[in-house]
Amino acid sequence: MSKQYETVFILTPILSEAQAKDAVEKFTTIITSNGAQIVHEENWGLRKLAYPIQKKNSGFYHVVEYTANEGNVVDVLETEFRRDERVLRFMTIALDKHSIAYNEKKRKGLVGKKKEEATESKTENA
């Protein structure tokens, strides 16, 4: 039975854009070469960290959502994250059915629209 995972990793900010893309490509290749299929991939770009990590205040954020038949992919990927000096932090979670549905809605742009529409209609009525 396949499970869906979401991995967020932060790369060091001293990389150039090309180097960051190379690192992302390396990790997505690891995912696909171990039998997983990438469902969605999103680059959040350079962002400020909530607290300093290795004396750095920002990092390149990247999110990969993928489906795998076995948990072996996660082990291999996390081992590579630990070995690579370009990775500041990473986190992998197994998504449940509610998280998968939420992510699908988010990709379609349906998350957060009701509040905006509701506030717009209130301002129009006032």
Side-chain angles (χ1 to χ4, degrees):
M1 185 174 161
S2 66
K3 279 183 125 179
Q4 197 157 329
Y5 299 94
E6 184 177 273
T7 299
V8 178
F9 56 95
I10 306 170
L11 299 172
T12 182
I14 60 172
L15 299 174
S16 67
E17 289 281 335
Q19 290 171 326
K21 283 183 183 178
D22 287 345
V24 168
E25 188 175 315
K26 173 188 170 188
F27 296 121
T28 54
T29 303
I30 289 170
I31 292 170
T32 54
S33 66
N34 283 289
Q37 293 182 329
I38 294 176
V39 175
H40 183 70
E41 191 177 344
E42 193 171 342
N43 183 13
W44 291 353
L46 187 66
R47 289 186 170 207
K48 186 177 178 185
L49 301 174
Y51 54 88
I53 302 171
Q54 297 173 4
K55 297 183 180 178
K56 294 174 179 64
N57 294 318
S58 61
F60 291 102
Y61 281 70
H62 199 83
V63 181
V64 181
E65 192 176 327
Y66 52 96
T67 304
N69 289 331
E70 301 172 15
N72 186 26
V73 177
V74 176
D75 294 337
V76 171
L77 185 63
E78 289 188 348
T79 301
E80 282 300 318
F81 283 144
R82 287 185 189 97
R83 290 182 179 161
D84 199 320
E85 293 178 347
R86 299 174 292 183
V87 178
L88 295 176
R89 287 284 192 273
F90 63 90
M91 185 175 77
T92 300
I93 58 170
L95 300 174
D96 61 2
K97 64 181 181 181
H98 302 292
S99 300
I100 293 169
Y102 177 82
N103 284 349
E104 287 176 6
K105 283 182 181 179
K106 189 170 74 175
R107 283 193 292 271
K108 291 177 183 174
L110 300 174
V111 175
K113 283 204 168 188
K114 286 184 178 180
K115 288 183 180 178
E116 291 176 13
E117 291 173 2
T119 56
E120 287 177 11
S121 64
K122 284 182 181 177
T123 56
E124 290 174 4
N125 293 337

